[in-house]
Amino acid sequence: MLSAALAVVMLWGLVLCAPFKPVWRRWLVTASACIPAGLCSWFGVQLAWRRELYEEHSWLSALDVVFALQLDGLSGIFALLITGVGAAVMLYSAWYEIPKRSERGFDALLFWFMGAMLGVVLADDVVTLFVFWELTGVISYLLVGFRSEEAMARRAARQALLVTSFGGAAMLVGLLLLGRVAGTFRISEQVLTDASVGAHPSYPLIVMLVVTGAFAKSAIFPFHFWLPGAMTAPTPVSAYLHSATMVKAGVYLLTRLTPVLGDSTLWSVLLAAGGGATLLAGAVRLVKEQDLKRILAETTVMGLGGLTLLIGLPGSHASTAFAVFLVVHALYKASLFMTAGAIEHATHTRHLPHMGGLWRALPKTCVCATIGSVAMAGMPPTLAFIGKELMYKATLNASAFAGALTAVAVIGNAAMVCGALLVTVRIFWGPKKPLSGDIHEASWALLLAPFVLAVASLMFGVFHGVIERGIVEPSVNAVEGDGGSKLHLWGGFSPMLVLSGVTLSLGYAFYRFRPRLQALSAALPRALQPRVQGIYTGALYGLRRSAELSTRVVQSGRLTIYLTVVFSVAVLAMAWPLPDFVRAGASVELRPLDWLAAALIVLGVVRGASAGKRVEALLGAAVFGVGVGLLFLFIGALDVALAQFAAEAVLLAVLVLSTASVESPPVKRRRKVADATRALFAVAAGVVTTSAVLWITSGRFDTRLSDHFVAEVSAPGHVGSNVVNAILVEFRAFDTLGELAALTAATLAVWAAVSRAPRGPLRAGQARSEQLHIFEVISAVALPVLIVASLWLLLRGHHYPGGGFVGGLLAAGAMVLYGLGHGTERVAAGVPFAPHYVAVAGLSLAVIAGCLPLFVDEPFLKSLWWTEYLGTSVLFELGVYLVVVGGFLTVASPHWEGTRPWE
Amino acid sequence: MGVMLAVLSGLTVAGAVYCMLARDFHRVGVGVMMLVSATNLVLVAAGRVMGRAPVLVGDASVRRAGEQLGNPLPQAFVLTAIVIGIGVIALVFALVRALDQERHRLDADGSSEEEEQ
Amino acid sequence: MNMLLLPVAFPLGLAFVALAVNAAWLGRWLVAAAGCLMAAVGTLALVDNLAGTIPTVAVGGHAAPFGIALAADGLSSLMLVVTGLLSWACASYRFRDSHERSGSSHALTLLLLASVSGSVLTADLFNLYVWFEVMVLASAGLLALTGDPGRLDGVIKYTLLNVVGAAFLLLGVALIYGITGTLSFADLAARPRGVSDPQLSGAVVVVLVAFLLKAAAFPLFFWLPASYPTLGFATAGLFSGLMSKVGVYTLYRSLLTLFPDVLVEVNPMLVVLSIATMLTGVLGAAAQHDVKRILSFHTVSQIGYLMMGLAIATRDAVSAGLFFLVHVIVVKSALFLVGGVAAQFFGSAELRDGGGLLVRGRWVTVCFGLLAASLAGVPPFSGFWAKLGLIVAGLDAGHAWLVATAVLTGLLTLYSMTKIWQTWFWRETPEALALSAPPGVGLSCWALFGVVLLFSAWPQGLFSVAQSAATQLFERAAYVTAVQEAQ
């Protein structure tokens, strides 16, 4: 039933999203008020019959989150307010002019907010509660920033969102911790296990976190500053969210958790201090305010402070006062906000000094405002009067600091009296002010809702028995476990009555001497003025600055720094386990030729690193490559050596050409220190690598994989005798397929880079001179010979050193030579498409070769042989061959003379 | 042999790091060439390829008496790595060349990223 | 052909068709088909996993550890499903940039998808290296092809840093092979637990550096913000969902399946790195004024959350981490796509050039708003459940700092999402655009959006899948047996 109620509200919100014509929308929204009104009466019936409802649905059982709803006395009183005031607000907002209301889904947001708020007060599971809690915050954000063309509105919206979300985040952690300590996420069960919570070491942390969340939501000091800012929202929103309901969510949570967390000094002190400070801060700010809605907002802040104070006070007086004050505040404050909206509608201003003597022009509005103000001032016979008396009773009975608390309460209430006088006397009865434009009263439909609410706060004072039995008793019962104190309008001559009198006089004094108080507060040194708002602004500014600073440091855009960091991390990672130099294994004796290879490597590295010119560095790298190739050769890695030599030769030829065409001036480090540092890094990296290799190779080596391969290839019936090749095209053909994909990707990437460059004849080609004629002849002769040789290498690869890669390199080298010698036109005659097509075709061919065995029910990439030299592997190798040819031609293509015919 | 390979790979890594920390993109590319070879050397060393004869079996065997067969699996790894390395090197230099033609500046520390911030 | 081979073989085999035909519709269709194939295979594998078997295949019939096996346990299957879905969405998204229509860009995208499938499916460390290199080269190619003119240095930085990362990987692989003599996951995972082997730990740490770099973790993430903003929105969305997430996948795979002992040793480091990644990423986003850059930096900060799951290292944390992984891939890429729609409208990705979408583009507003809320962890959207899972796991394990950072990062994420919202959506429309037609949201955005809504409304579904995948990661024996017995 409860979830059905929620669902109805939420779904109706969806209906309201539809684009209705303004006239239709007005009546539809008016009719929509029936939904909250109906719910309100239903909740009322449940409360009157003392029915408690509970339901749960599984939600996220992995995290023990259930969608649990509970309706008890406390939830009931809040639900009544939400739906009751909600109905009034709906009625009001239907007739309230809001620009762009339909496009921005105003009515839907309001309905969804109602649903979310109901969810907050009905939720029994803390996560469910948090979900709805944050939902109210987000909707509030959207509504506060509703007039989003105004920068003020946007800023205020973000401020409200960030402050409440900050609190919300803290609260979530607090609630989760509480759930862990209590062993359940359900509040109704936590109440039963309260004994262990207070004694738990994380109890203070839980309290701090939860209280932070509640304070932020309810605009309690030090988070009180966001609420007046939120008055940029359209008036129905201020009436509903920012006075009657959403800001009460924090208060609700504190009340709800009092049975679980409340039994400690920390709790009482935090709440009483927070509430008291809020009362005072609100009073101080109220004195300075000139904006009608912001004045009401400050009184709301004080009201919330008063409620928080009452929660912090033990005993049933406080609980009763809380319940009464809660109801009455919602009634008169919503009414006053709506009236303020009507005034603004009539006068087109909210600025207090511009208004005065309006009672003649706006008699009906005046009646509403007066009744509301009487309630806010807490004058008899309103319900607020009863609430105020009870509040004094509670503060006077406080176990500690009774005097101070009472004083604070008196000041706060007096400030509210002052606010009431400002709103009514000043605007309606004070001296008449010249107002521009035509002042005319709002329609009766707009004034109906505030009138009803105001009258309700009056009538409930007279007929307080209804409130007592229907609302106060069940709610106090839910928190305290007893029925609460009796309500009466006339409690005899008592200290409370005296205090009420004092409050009224003090309030009048505030009103009377307001200009002087303003001057006084302006004269205060800056340091003494409350500047919490400044802390928020400063924090945001600091965040932006530090973000910019840290990002400029971290993401500097300088490659040398990036690489330095990356290499440092790697060096540290490798240096982490201390290397062991002692037991270095040397399995093979060194031969003199090994030294030759080593010498070439050393020479190449040194030359490559130290050469001044780019081409020289490349030549150094070439020497180095030859050395590596020789080394591979000497240790029996014949295939590897062949590949190294061939690849190095062709690639370097192209790279030297490419480098020759580079025009940019060389870039040097500006400072010697930088060069020294990078040398240091280099040495560190080298030492770490050497140590790691020595350390790793000192252990015994498990050669079972290699032994297996040798045995497999040697076995009778196996075609081929080159073990390395067999590994590449049979056992680990998948690696080779990936390698082909890599080379193809590189080819396409090179093609992409090449095709970015501006077109036109290239310098390297132009450098061709007379002397190159011999080169032309040689390349022409070499082309066919080398291509035949390359195919031969391809075919024999499975048995002897060679294979598709080396073959392809040979062919590519021949074609590159030919292209350099003769220009593109001649090559293009043979190859009528861009060379990277060849590479991609090779890749596809390799995949097709891999798929062939599927036709004879053998697995993908299985090597099948028809004859000694013909099998699927040969086709696969042909793919390799093509990829290599295509790849190298692509790399070389920018250095061919002239235009490229395939473009 | 093991020690020599270890020292050589360390040296190559040092050269690679030194080149890659240069401010000239072209020199960084030379560093990449060395880095690729360095990892191959480490593969050879760690995989104990250190034989003397090619791993050919049966008729094709050219193994002389007393010669060890190299460990074949890491050879296959190195071959794969060489091929991929060639692709990487080619791409890096192609990009360097394209940058040269686009901006006429090969400064690794002067970036468009910085200018935007 | 075994189904696990399809996501690799299909894109590789058809890359030539995409290139040769060079028709935009065909290329897009092929990429979309490859994506669907990945998702379908992943789903089938996931169904198998939930039934208790891990689908495997030994490529070429050569059984592990001698040959290369592919295995799709819960983690791999999940990755396959999400990345496939994402690839489909990005391919179906209307590519606006003329470069993104060319045949070679589709061929490169196909290679990229093959490499992702290969990386998440392979059960061999060297093979993983090979697919990593394919990923680097294909993505670099896409960057060079589609990237903004004048920002080529971003491409070079991307390429160089990732090449260095791949070199570290190969170095580490070489060392691991030198120690163990094997690179098959089956052999590596079957090593006895609790035996301290400093040599192996040292070698594994080198591999981890490579994985952390690929995952864009602090302090190795430079390549990501340097390069992603140069891409078109669709490709940026694709990259954001694939690259760094494959890095995260390898972190999970290596530390949970292969080297759980090393996870214990490096745990304090992971905690620090996770915190630093979350914070630097989100601060970076706070400093930006360009939507692509903001989203790119958020990609970094979310990597921190993913590492948080690994750093806490309990089963709950890992399942929450997997939930987060799926969530963030979908949400972040969807944000890139929807952001692309808006940027298309404004003709710029800069915040200052946009405004008024709230009124002009209703559906863009709905999509972007809810996705941004999900990214920021606003309940009840998927991001909230993901973070809730991590926070609960963190509290259970007593990781106060991680929890505090996660919460703070969530708030800062909210801050930078409001930054986008308040300018692009709330501010008035720039005058030049006052009359132009409002942008529409394509089918692909809606599909991703729908998936996010599904995760949001029914988190339990994804969570139970994530839980069973996490359980598999902690019970290595089944994985080892499956790989060993792969046919």
Side-chain angles (χ1 to χ4, degrees):
Chain A
M1 190 64 209
L2 293 173
S3 49
L6 282 183
V8 166
V9 174
M10 292 296 194
L11 288 178
W12 190 251
L14 268 186
V15 172
L16 289 177
C17 284
F20 295 103
K21 282 184 183 159
V23 185
W24 283 97
R25 173 168 293 276
R26 171 162 291 179
W27 288 104
L28 184 74
V29 176
T30 311
S32 304
C34 296
I35 294 179
L39 284 174
C40 181
S41 22
W42 184 73
F43 283 125
V45 170
Q46 305 303 317
L47 270 184
W49 290 352
R50 302 280 192 278
R51 275 239 292 264
E52 299 204 346
L53 301 178
Y54 185 85
E55 62 177 283
E56 63 173 58
H57 310 274
S58 74
W59 201 0
L60 182 53
S61 47
L63 298 176
D64 296 328
V65 176
V66 282
F67 189 77
L69 299 177
Q70 188 196 25
L71 180 74
D72 64 354
L74 186 63
S75 305
I77 179 174
F78 277 91
L80 269 183
L81 283 182
I82 292 161
T83 48
V85 178
V89 166
M90 277 297 152
L91 186 62
Y92 177 79
S93 83
W95 300 88
Y96 187 82
E97 293 287 330
I98 300 169
K100 296 192 183 155
R101 138 186 227 144
S102 168
E103 291 97 317
R104 300 186 177 183
F106 179 82
D107 305 297
L109 284 174
L110 220 52
F111 245 85
W112 285 332
F113 171 79
M114 191 191 304
M117 198 61 217
L118 274 178
V120 170
V121 299
L122 292 178
D124 188 34
D125 176 87
V126 289
V127 176
T128 311
L129 187 148
F130 180 78
V131 168
F132 285 119
W133 177 282
E134 286 293 289
L135 214 52
T136 62
V138 171
I139 298 175
S140 157
Y141 169 72
L142 295 174
L143 286 171
V144 172
F146 196 80
R147 294 203 190 97
S148 58
E149 295 80 12
E150 296 163 20
M152 271 280 280
R154 297 199 295 267
R155 251 200 312 275
R158 176 194 273 181
Q159 172 173 309
L161 179 72
L162 289 184
V163 171
T164 51
S165 299
F166 169 78
M171 182 187 94
L172 174 67
V173 176
L175 289 178
L176 292 176
L177 270 178
L178 174 63
R180 262 187 78 217
V181 171
T184 169
F185 280 154
R186 260 168 272 182
I187 301 173
S188 55
E189 290 172 16
Q190 286 170 354
V191 175
L192 304 174
T193 57
D194 60 340
S196 60
V197 178
H200 197 273
S202 41
Y203 171 78
L205 182 65
I206 295 175
V207 168
M208 296 297 292
L209 290 171
V210 169
V211 164
T212 305
F215 277 17
K217 195 78 167 180
S218 284
I220 299 297
F221 185 88
F223 303 107
H224 58 283
F225 57 91
W226 70 263
L227 189 55
M231 291 302 127
T232 53
T235 300
V237 174
S238 310
Y240 194 32
L241 273 68
H242 303 122
S243 73
T245 52
M246 188 184 88
V247 289
K248 303 269 168 64
V251 176
Y252 164 77
L253 183 78
L254 292 176
T255 324
R256 175 55 84 197
L257 290 180
T258 299
V260 185
L261 295 172
D263 194 19
S264 75
T265 324
L266 177 67
W267 180 264
S268 308
V269 168
L270 271 180
L271 263 51
T278 312
L279 275 173
L280 292 181
V284 170
R285 290 163 61 112
L286 178 87
V287 167
K288 292 195 286 188
E289 236 14 289
Q290 300 288 7
D291 180 292
L292 178 56
K293 273 179 81 180
R294 289 179 73 102
I295 287 178
L296 290 176
E298 295 294 359
T299 59
T300 306
V301 167
M302 284 188 286
L304 293 165
L307 286 170
T308 310
L309 178 67
L310 287 172
I311 305 170
L313 297 176
S316 62
H317 288 315
S319 305
T320 314
F322 171 82
V324 171
F325 194 55
L326 182 76
V327 173
V328 71
H329 179 257
L331 293 178
Y332 73 67
K333 194 51 68 62
S335 160
L336 279 175
F337 264 115
M338 293 183 200
T339 314
I343 296 174
E344 191 188 355
H345 171 83
T347 62
H348 305 290
T349 181
R350 284 173 9 200
H351 198 55
L352 220 51
H354 292 173
M355 292 185 269
L358 287 173
W359 68 275
R360 262 181 210 288
L362 310 171
K364 286 181 243 165
T365 317
C366 175
V367 171
C368 290
T370 311
I371 306 177
S373 297
V374 165
M376 181 153 85
M379 287 197 260
T382 61
L383 189 58
F385 174 73
I386 303 176
K388 194 166 58 177
E389 299 246 305
L390 280 168
M391 184 175 182
Y392 290 145
K393 204 182 231 172
T395 53
L396 286 173
N397 287 343
S399 50
F401 304 112
L405 289 175
T406 312
V408 167
V410 168
I411 293 176
N413 280 321
M416 284 207 226
V417 172
C418 170
L421 292 170
L422 281 173
V423 172
T424 322
V425 177
R426 176 75 180 264
I427 292 180
F428 290 99
W429 310 101
K432 206 168 157 76
K433 296 279 167 65
L435 269 170
S436 59
D438 172 33
I439 300 180
H440 56 89
E441 188 142 64
S443 67
W444 65 268
L446 192 71
L447 287 171
L448 180 63
F451 183 72
V452 168
L453 288 180
V455 168
S457 69
L458 202 67
M459 299 306 284
F460 282 141
V462 181
F463 305 105
H464 50 258
V466 183
I467 292 290
E468 185 172 353
R469 277 189 302 282
I471 293 179
V472 175
E473 275 180 21
S475 75
V476 174
N477 193 26
V479 182
E480 296 281 335
D482 60 35
S485 332
K486 287 274 164 233
L487 308 187
H488 18 210
L489 267 176
W490 175 247
F493 291 102
S494 62
M496 282 76 79
L497 192 64
V498 176
L499 286 173
S500 285
V502 172
T503 308
L504 285 177
S505 350
L506 193 61
Y508 180 72
F510 280 168
Y511 173 68
R512 183 80 181 73
F513 302 112
R514 193 157 169 267
R516 275 190 218 172
L517 288 174
Q518 279 170 0
L520 191 70
S521 84
L524 276 177
R526 275 184 66 83
L528 287 179
Q529 291 178 8
R531 283 192 298 173
V532 189
Q533 169 78 51
I535 294 176
Y536 166 82
T537 320
L540 220 54
Y541 177 76
L543 168 70
R544 267 200 299 271
R545 288 295 305 169
S546 62
E548 278 164 16
L549 200 71
S550 77
T551 308
R552 204 170 301 144
V553 171
V554 174
Q555 195 75 23
S556 58
R558 296 175 60 181
L559 181 69
T560 50
I561 293 184
Y562 296 170
L563 280 172
T564 308
V565 172
V566 170
F567 283 130
S568 319
V569 171
V571 167
L572 285 177
M574 285 177 77
W576 167 56
L578 275 178
D580 179 354
F581 285 94
V582 190
R583 291 175 295 135
S587 52
V588 181
E589 291 298 307
L590 285 172
R591 290 191 302 203
L593 277 178
D594 294 339
W595 289 105
L596 172 66
L600 284 178
I601 292 178
V602 173
L603 183 69
V605 168
V606 172
R607 192 78 195 116
S610 65
K613 289 191 183 155
R614 293 194 179 114
V615 176
E616 285 175 17
L618 270 183
L619 292 179
V623 173
F624 162 77
V626 171
V628 173
L630 281 177
L631 195 68
F632 289 155
L633 186 66
F634 296 154
I635 58 176
L638 197 51
D639 280 283
V640 183
L642 274 179
Q644 172 83 18
F645 282 133
E648 198 82 13
V650 182
L651 187 67
L652 271 162
V654 177
L655 289 187
V656 168
L657 274 182
S658 140
T659 305
S661 74
V662 166
E663 291 166 350
S664 312
V667 193
K668 284 270 163 51
R669 290 270 189 169
R670 256 168 262 149
R671 286 168 301 163
K672 282 266 184 266
V673 188
D675 267 340
T677 345
R678 76 176 163 134
L680 203 69
F681 266 108
V683 170
V687 168
V688 169
T689 312
T690 303
S691 327
V693 173
L694 281 178
W695 193 37
I696 297 295
T697 50
S698 64
R700 277 191 58 248
F701 185 63
D702 179 4
T703 56
R704 77 194 160 100
L705 296 193
S706 291
D707 296 345
H708 170 87
F709 293 131
V710 174
E712 280 273 306
V713 176
S714 315
H718 185 272
V719 178
S721 42
N722 185 347
V723 180
V724 175
N725 186 278
I727 294 176
L728 284 173
V729 301
E730 284 181 37
F731 303 109
R732 298 186 66 97
F734 202 52
D735 276 346
T736 311
L737 188 64
E739 164 204 315
L740 287 186
L743 207 53
T744 311
T747 306
L748 287 170
V750 168
W751 177 251
V754 165
S755 48
R756 281 177 80 112
R759 295 288 186 277
L762 299 163
R763 285 201 334 169
Q766 287 164 351
R768 198 155 63 94
S769 66
E770 305 290 308
Q771 294 155 328
L772 280 175
H773 273 308
I774 182 75
F775 180 60
E776 219 169 293
V777 175
I778 292 176
S779 62
V781 175
L783 182 67
V785 175
L786 288 179
I787 287 189
V788 170
S790 70
L791 289 172
W792 176 72
L793 274 176
L794 163 74
L795 281 177
R796 75 193 288 267
H798 205 57
H799 301 268
Y800 307 98
F805 182 67
V806 178
L809 276 171
L810 198 59
M815 290 182 200
V816 170
L817 269 184
Y818 186 82
L820 291 174
H822 296 257
T824 328
E825 299 80 6
R826 303 272 291 278
V827 185
V831 189
F833 38 80
H836 61 285
Y837 279 57
V838 180
V840 185
L843 176 65
S844 295
L845 182 64
V847 175
I848 292 170
C851 288
L852 284 182
L854 296 173
F855 293 106
V856 290
D857 242 3
E858 290 283 349
F860 179 69
L861 279 180
K862 174 95 180 169
S863 181
L864 296 179
W865 294 90
W866 294 288
T867 70
E868 188 82 349
Y869 284 96
L870 203 59
T872 56
S873 292
V874 175
L875 208 55
F876 188 76
E877 288 261 40
L878 189 63
V880 179
Y881 181 94
L882 289 180
V883 171
V884 173
V885 169
F888 272 91
L889 289 185
T890 307
V891 174
S893 64
H895 307 293
W896 295 354
E897 191 183 341
T899 52
R900 302 168 197 87
W902 51 79
E903 275 166 6
Chain B
M1 193 75 205
V3 179
M4 182 194 257
L5 272 176
V7 171
L8 286 178
S9 36
L11 177 79
T12 316
V13 165
V17 169
Y18 186 79
C19 288
M20 291 193 79
L21 292 181
R23 275 188 65 169
D24 193 298
F25 269 128
H26 190 275
R27 192 56 55 95
V28 178
V30 174
V32 171
M33 290 178 86
M34 291 187 191
L35 190 66
V36 167
S37 290
T39 46
N40 292 342
L41 284 175
V42 172
L43 250 178
V44 165
R48 326 292 207 283
V49 176
M50 296 154 278
R52 283 302 182 192
V55 200
L56 304 171
V57 296
D59 313 337
S61 177
V62 291
R63 185 178 177 186
R64 279 174 294 194
E67 273 188 345
Q68 266 181 300
L69 277 186
N71 190 4
L73 182 56
Q75 294 187 36
F77 288 156
V78 174
L79 245 168
T80 308
I82 285 180
V83 178
I84 295 175
I86 293 292
V88 167
I89 295 166
L91 173 60
V92 169
F93 278 99
L95 287 173
V96 168
R97 189 172 163 282
L99 184 70
D100 169 62
Q101 301 197 333
E102 242 177 59
R103 304 193 109 207
H104 306 291
R105 246 174 96 206
L106 289 182
D107 187 354
D109 280 357
S111 82
S112 57
E113 203 188 332
E114 196 180 30
E115 286 152 21
E116 280 154 22
Q117 281 178 4
Chain C
M1 193 186 297
N2 187 292
M3 69 169 184
L4 293 188
L5 289 164
L6 280 173
V8 181
F10 178 84
L12 289 187
L14 290 177
F16 182 69
V17 178
L19 181 72
V21 178
N22 199 7
W25 67 269
L26 181 74
R28 239 170 40 206
W29 189 86
L30 282 174
V31 175
C36 290
L37 189 67
M38 285 163 79
V41 170
T43 312
L44 288 177
L46 211 52
V47 171
D48 278 356
N49 273 294
L50 292 177
T53 53
I54 299 176
T56 53
V57 60
V59 185
H62 305 286
F66 308 108
I68 296 165
L70 303 185
D73 66 345
L75 175 58
S76 301
S77 317
L78 263 182
M79 280 296 292
L80 213 54
V81 173
V82 195
T83 50
L85 172 75
L86 168 66
S87 316
W88 168 80
C90 289
S92 322
Y93 181 80
R94 286 160 299 170
F95 288 106
R96 316 279 182 163
D97 188 359
S98 61
H99 287 301
E100 293 182 357
R101 293 205 194 115
S102 72
S104 37
S105 89
H106 292 127
L108 278 168
T109 313
L110 285 172
L111 293 183
L112 183 65
L113 295 191
S115 70
V116 169
S117 310
S119 304
V120 300
L121 285 175
T122 190
D124 185 281
L125 210 47
F126 187 80
N127 195 239
L128 179 66
Y129 157 75
V130 172
W131 293 119
F132 254 56
E133 288 276 23
V134 179
M135 208 185 325
V136 172
L137 291 166
S139 54
L142 277 172
L143 273 161
L145 196 63
T146 66
D148 295 349
R151 295 214 268 188
L152 198 60
D153 60 315
V155 184
I156 302 193
K157 279 175 209 156
Y158 173 88
T159 313
L160 285 172
L161 288 165
N162 275 288
V163 160
V164 170
F168 289 153
L169 177 56
L170 183 58
L171 200 65
V173 167
L175 296 178
I176 292 176
Y177 175 69
I179 297 162
T180 62
T182 181
L183 290 173
S184 168
F185 286 1
D187 285 352
L188 293 173
R191 294 171 61 85
R193 278 212 62 181
V195 184
S196 173
D197 183 347
Q199 278 191 350
L200 187 61
S201 306
V204 171
V205 168
V206 179
V207 172
L208 286 184
V209 173
F211 291 162
L212 286 169
L213 190 143
K214 175 97 314 186
F218 180 88
L220 305 167
F221 60 73
F222 313 113
W223 58 268
L224 196 156
S227 61
Y228 282 17
T230 70
L231 288 164
F233 272 93
T235 320
L238 187 68
F239 275 32
S240 150
L242 297 185
M243 307 297 184
S244 49
K245 305 310 182 292
V246 171
V248 171
Y249 161 82
T250 51
L251 281 175
Y252 273 62
R253 172 66 73 216
S254 58
L255 286 175
L256 292 170
T257 309
L258 302 184
F259 310 107
D261 288 330
V262 181
L263 176 59
V264 179
E265 291 176 46
V266 299
N267 192 56
M269 209 60 221
L270 266 183
V271 171
V272 173
L273 290 183
S274 160
I275 289 176
T277 308
M278 280 192 250
L279 285 181
T280 44
V282 84
L283 281 178
Q288 306 302 321
H289 303 284
D290 172 303
V291 170
K292 249 190 273 180
R293 298 180 69 89
I294 293 177
L295 292 178
S296 301
F297 272 102
H298 277 303
T299 304
V300 174
S301 98
Q302 273 118 27
I303 297 299
Y305 282 104
L306 293 169
M307 289 165 66
M308 177 176 169
L310 199 55
I312 300 170
T314 60
R315 192 166 307 198
D316 290 342
V318 170
S319 20
L322 295 182
F323 186 101
F324 200 107
L325 182 65
V326 175
H327 141 79
V328 85
I329 289 180
V330 178
V331 168
K332 180 47 87 53
S333 305
L335 268 176
F336 267 112
L337 295 189
V338 181
V341 172
Q344 169 78 20
F345 179 56
F346 300 131
S348 158
E350 291 277 340
L351 285 180
R352 61 164 181 267
D353 295 334
L357 276 179
L358 180 65
V359 182
R360 304 307 309 276
R362 171 181 295 250
W363 297 118
V364 181
T365 307
V366 171
C367 261
F368 193 94
L370 294 193
L371 289 170
S374 179
L375 190 77
V378 172
F381 301 110
S382 53
F384 169 69
W385 301 117
K387 286 179 188 172
L388 184 72
L390 284 174
I391 289 173
V392 168
L395 286 176
D396 283 340
H399 279 290
W401 284 108
L402 274 175
V403 170
T405 315
V407 169
L408 182 67
T409 307
L411 271 179
L412 293 176
T413 309
L414 187 64
Y415 167 80
S416 56
M417 289 299 125
T418 59
K419 202 162 71 178
I420 301 180
W421 179 261
Q422 303 199 172
T423 46
W424 270 15
F425 291 85
W426 265 359
R427 246 177 17 189
E428 278 180 282
T429 320
E431 277 175 28
L433 294 172
L435 294 174
S436 45
V441 183
L443 172 70
S444 49
C445 298
W446 282 120
L448 292 182
F449 183 69
V451 172
V452 174
L453 283 191
L454 176 71
F455 292 160
S456 309
W458 189 48
Q460 178 61 33
L462 181 57
F463 239 108
S464 26
V465 175
Q467 271 179 326
S468 75
T471 310
Q472 271 183 341
L473 285 175
F474 280 91
E475 285 158 10
R476 279 162 287 272
Y479 185 82
V480 171
T481 321
V483 175
Q484 278 169 345
E485 291 170 358
Q487 303 242 310

